[in-house]
């Protein structure tokens, strides 16, 4: 039996390498991809920390691209040897939630997220892709594997943050937290025609990168109150606020910093506590016409093709976020780095 190297969650809080069989028969609708590039995500750190409970030898990782290695007999539109990107979210496009248009909620709430959740992930020399015809996106010539890997989650999630924010042309946007997802919200807000993009963080290198991606102003929340500063810049608050952290403080700030009728777009992962509190008065005692939207990374081939077109035409270069590179044999160090957030890390790229 052919075996491959994988990087797994051995149990809560424990990671390591593990040899597993190369997935042999993908099944008629599915595919096996040989991995070429992957990215470590803060979600991988959350998973190992217990975000989805105990797992036994589960292969980690959900951001990867590669080459089609084996293909189910019913899959059309791609062939063995094609370079493909696979979104972190791989919906079935058959269940009632998918048919209703909520493909990230495939089968059940958050159920579109299958890699490193309900099945082995992509930190492996090969990985299995369900419903391949809908989930394998050929990578255009001129788009590197590295750039395409960013489309799988950072771009798809970050861009969703701005898309859900209902930004009026020429309107004002504040993005709270400038990690890789927040940075991609900044880039997308600019593409969607925002007239003023404000980024909030405290790490100078991230604020600098936000300006490169199109932020007009960055606010360091350690030296100024971001809500006051946003009101000073806009008068009565922004049209749209994007929550890209997953914290009570930033969520509250988003509600406070948004003007009446504005939209709060949540893309952060809220990993703590039983409730998220809404500041009552800034919510207009329930009558402010403010909208709070949530979402999980939109998946699927169509989404990936559009994101990669933006890379191909030079609208956005996500590779500016690659701060570190590791061979797959050292993915454990990349994972460590993503946990500690040391050494100015934004994204560590894994090369196979
Ligand atoms: Zn991710």
């Amino acid at each position: 039996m052919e075996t491959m190297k994988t990087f797994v969650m051995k149990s809560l809080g424990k990671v390591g390498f593990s040899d597993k069989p190369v997935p042999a028969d993908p099944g008629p609708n599915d595919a096996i991809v040989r991995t070429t590039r992957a990215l470590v995500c803060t979600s991988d750190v959350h998973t190992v920390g217990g975000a989805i409970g105990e797992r036994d030898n589960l292969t980690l990782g959900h951001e990867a691209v590669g080459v089609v290695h084996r293909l189910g007999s019913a899959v059309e539109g791609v062939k063995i040897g094609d370079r493909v990107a696979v979104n972190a979210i791989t919906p079935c496009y058959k269940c009632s939630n998918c048919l209703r248009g909520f493909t990230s909620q495939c089968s059940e709430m958050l159920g579109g997220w299958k890699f490193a959740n309900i099945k082995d992930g992509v930190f492996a020399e090969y990985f299995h892709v369900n419903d391949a015809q809908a989930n394998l996106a050929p990578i255009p010539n001129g788009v590197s594997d590295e750039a395409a890997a960013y489309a799988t989650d950072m771009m798809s999630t970050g861009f969703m943050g701005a898309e859900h924010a209902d930004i009026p042309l020429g309107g004002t946007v504040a993005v709270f937290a400038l990690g890789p997802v927040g940075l991609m919200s900044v880039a997308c807000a600019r593409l969607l025609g925002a007239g003023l993009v404000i980024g909030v963080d405290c790490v100078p290198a991230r604020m600098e990168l936000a300006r490169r991606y199109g932020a007009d102003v960055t606010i360091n929340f350690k030296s100024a109150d971001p809500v006051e500063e946003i009101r000073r810049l806009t008068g009565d608050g922004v049209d749209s606020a994007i929550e890209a952290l997953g914290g009570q403080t930033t969520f509250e700030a988003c509600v406070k910093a948004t003007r009446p009728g504005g939209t709060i777009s949540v893309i952060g992962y809220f990993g703590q506590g039983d409730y998220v509190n809404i500041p009552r008065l800034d919510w207009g005692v329930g009558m402010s016409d403010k909208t709070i939207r949530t979402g999980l990374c939109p998946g699927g081939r169509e989404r990936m093709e559009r994101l990669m077109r933006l890379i191909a035409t030079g609208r956005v270069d996500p590779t500016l976020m690659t701060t570190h590179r590791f061979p797959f044999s050292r993915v454990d160090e990349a994972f460590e780095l993503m946990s500690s957030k040391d050494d100015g890390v934004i994204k560590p790229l894994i090369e196979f």
Side-chain angles (χ1 to χ4, degrees):
M1 190 167 43
E2 238 189 318
T3 63
M4 62 178 185
K5 193 187 274 297
T6 72
F7 183 66
V8 303
M9 170 174 173
K10 294 198 178 269
S11 58
L12 277 188
K14 282 195 71 176
V15 293
F17 288 97
S18 174
D19 284 333
K20 294 189 184 182
V22 174
D25 176 14
N29 299 309
D30 302 347
I32 311 296
V33 169
R34 176 173 59 76
T35 320
T36 57
R37 294 287 185 279
L39 293 157
V40 184
C41 184
T42 303
S43 303
D44 295 308
V45 176
H46 292 152
T47 296
V48 173
I52 54 173
E54 183 64 276
R55 292 289 190 279
D56 176 21
N57 221 34
L58 175 78
T59 304
L60 290 164
H62 54 263
E63 301 179 19
V65 301
V67 171
V68 178
H69 180 65
R70 287 184 180 128
L71 207 52
S73 55
V75 183
E76 293 176 11
V78 279
K79 55 186 192 310
I80 288 171
D82 281 354
R83 292 165 67 225
V84 287
V86 184
N87 192 286
I89 302 302
T90 50
C92 73
Y93 292 93
K94 297 180 193 80
C95 72
S96 59
N97 281 357
C98 281
L99 292 173
R100 289 192 303 127
F102 299 98
T103 54
S104 298
Q105 319 299 335
C106 174
S107 308
E108 58 178 338
M109 192 158 61
L110 311 183
W113 176 31
K114 303 184 195 304
F115 288 130
N117 183 9
I118 59 167
K119 66 186 270 192
D120 276 335
V122 301
F123 291 161
E125 289 166 303
Y126 299 87
F127 63 92
H128 175 271
V129 181
N130 63 281
D131 303 282
Q133 193 165 323
N135 285 308
L136 293 180
I139 302 173
N141 290 331
V143 172
S144 67
D145 285 9
E146 175 183 353
Y150 279 98
T152 65
D153 184 0
M154 299 301 95
M155 281 179 72
S156 190
T157 301
F159 277 40
M160 176 193 74
E163 291 167 285
H164 280 183
D166 201 14
I167 302 165
L169 186 65
T172 54
V173 187
V175 181
F176 283 80
L178 302 171
V181 164
L183 288 168
M184 289 298 92
S185 291
V186 166
C188 186
R190 182 66 172 254
L191 288 171
L192 290 173
L196 178 71
V197 181
I198 302 166
V200 182
D201 205 280
C202 70
V203 181
R206 292 180 180 223
M207 293 161 68
E208 159 83 44
L209 198 48
R211 290 192 290 273
R212 285 184 74 181
Y213 278 125
D216 302 284
V217 182
T218 50
I219 301 170
N220 186 327
F221 65 80
K222 291 210 165 143
S223 49
D225 179 317
V227 174
E228 275 174 28
E229 200 57 19
I230 287 166
R231 287 195 181 136
R232 193 184 63 75
L233 289 162
T234 57
D236 62 346
V238 282
D239 292 300
S240 309
I242 300 170
E243 206 288 345
L245 182 74
Q248 177 65 38
T249 312
T250 39
F251 174 73
E252 264 182 62
C254 284
V255 177
K256 291 176 181 170
T258 306
R259 70 199 298 204
T263 301
I264 296 104
S265 170
V266 175
I267 48 174
Y269 155 73
F270 286 74
Q272 248 128 46
D274 290 328
Y275 296 93
V276 177
N277 292 313
I278 297 177
R280 189 175 61 87
L281 296 179
D282 294 290
W283 186 45
V285 295
M287 299 178 229
S288 59
D289 274 320
K290 294 188 185 183
T291 302
I292 297 171
R293 276 201 76 174
T294 62
L296 167 69
C297 178
R301 189 190 74 213
E302 275 286 327
R303 174 77 171 173
M304 295 298 292
E305 285 174 350
R306 278 185 276 126
L307 294 173
M308 289 192 286
R309 186 175 297 126
L310 291 169
I311 299 171
T313 51
R315 301 286 199 280
V316 62
D317 177 8
T319 65
L320 300 176
M321 296 189 289
T322 304
T323 50
H324 296 73
R325 290 165 195 274
F326 294 90
F328 181 50
S329 58
R330 289 171 55 206
V331 65
D332 51 336
E333 292 171 48
F335 180 84
E336 232 0 271
L337 192 61
M338 216 49 183
S339 315
S340 67
K341 296 281 190 286
D342 283 344
D343 199 28
V345 68
I346 294 180
K347 275 302 243 191
L349 179 77
I350 310 303
E351 299 171 320
F352 286 74

